[in-house]
Amino acid sequence: MDMTWFDDMEARIPKGEVRTRFAPSPTGYMHVGNLRTALYTWLIARNHGGKFLLRIEDTDQGRLVEGATEVIYRTMAECGLNHDEGPDIGGPVGPYIQSERRDTYGKYAKLLVEKGGAYYCFCEKTESEEDSGNFNRATDPCRDLPLVEALARVAAGEPYVIRQRIPAEGSTTFHDASFGDITVENAELDDQVLLKRDGLPTYNFANVIDDHLMGITHVVRGSEYLSSAPKYNLLYESFGWEVPTYVHCSPVMRDQHNKMSKRHGDPSYEDLKAQGYLTDAILNYVALLGWSPRGEQAEQEFFTLDELAQAFDLAGISKSPAIFDIEKLKYFNAKYLRAMAPEAFCKAALPYLRKAIQNPAIDLTLVAPLVQSRCDTFEDIAPQVDFFDSLPAYSNELYIHKKMKTTLENSLEALQVTRPVLAALTDWTYASIHDALIGLAEKLELKNGRIMWPVRTALSGKAVTPGGAVELCQILGQEETLHRMDLGIAQLSNS
């Protein structure tokens, strides 16, 4: 076999730098486990000043979902996981889409046959049987077929797959950065299919070829691939290639016994965003699902993406499964919401405020500051502010407040004396409303709460509101404020 083409491919491989890759299949939304893999892969590259690659693995054509590739790009961009090479920006070792590398896999599969690490198999097997690995090499007549005879059958047009030739005896030791050395008896490994009848590679084979040709130095993947790992080693050894550092991460669980799954309603990144969680909070929490900082930062919980890149090291990755706790994520999200600049919070909250408050007369920029410290996610906004749109039906019991020393009787009196004071205001501002209400309380020699609580109750119909009486008056406007106070007076008068 002429090695010129293979030598040229080897010459293209970048050397002397850490290179990692995120290689998703475009089969749907980005679930939490996938996001964690992308994040860890990006962090390794950035921690070492290396390159981060995006590769689209679309060889399983039957599972592709329309629009899923765009979801990958959008998610990566939103999360700030910028890639240095990929399908959209190119690079020295492209193409970066597996289906566009089809001829490459076929050539390397045939080279592996020449090297004795694989063989042509003409046995009749369904595609599902090929993919499952359910294959007994001991009874396969093709394994020991002379290469000349096999090539003649290929030349005659006989359908075939190419299988990996696992050594019949001995064992294979695989090293993982998290789990250490793992040794498997070769007798337990199957002669997996590398190249299918349609000429497309299997997942395992395409990964090995692409990782080598793209100069990948560190591979992050789920621990469910540990059982396949020794076969990767054997492929690298058969080609005479250096094995990259493998980092197998334990699964993200929804409880002690079950892995997270979209089928069971567990949220994807897109779902969490739709539920009102901030990207920065999601990333911070996901980073700690299976990794913990060490040294001076061992007790630190909150990290920016840049801080994570500086702190991230492989030694901090845990072998134990991580349980996804939505309440813990909510805790992170609340901290991030409260830490936002008021202008940034207002901009991010506006879509939720517009959905909750339809009345165009309400100034949403005045509402936003009231809810910033009162919500864990953006979805918490609507139940707190829906009364701005329309006054809900409420019980007079809300006027009774022991601490404020309010009763039904003195609440009615408070509304009756407050209404003309507010009606007389010609300047409807926070300061004028505040001064009028405080001044009235002083004049009547009452505690502020005796005035404020009845007014707030009449304006909101709720026991708890974001903001007090003054803020609610300002936001509702003079006309609506007086209207709601009239309704409160009528309701109390008829009780």
Side-chain angles (χ1 to χ4, degrees), residues 137 143 166-172 184-187:
R137 67 171 179 265
R143 182 179 164 91
I166 302 293
E169 299 177 350
S171 61
T172 298
V184 177
E185 296 299 317
N186 290 334

Side-chain angles (χ1 to χ4, degrees), residues 272 277 281 285 324-333:
L272 292 172
Y277 291 91
Y285 179 60
F324 181 85
D325 182 353
I326 196 70
E327 292 303 317
K328 186 70 171 178
L329 174 58
K330 197 172 290 185
Y331 159 77
F332 272 84
N333 202 69

Side-chain angles (χ1 to χ4, degrees), residues 380-402:
D380 293 338
I381 290 175
Q384 298 185 63
V385 301
D386 54 1
F387 68 89
F388 283 113
D389 243 6
S390 61
L391 183 67
Y394 64 93
S395 167
N396 284 347
E397 295 299 314
L398 289 182
Y399 285 101
I400 302 172
H401 195 293
K402 189 175 181 180

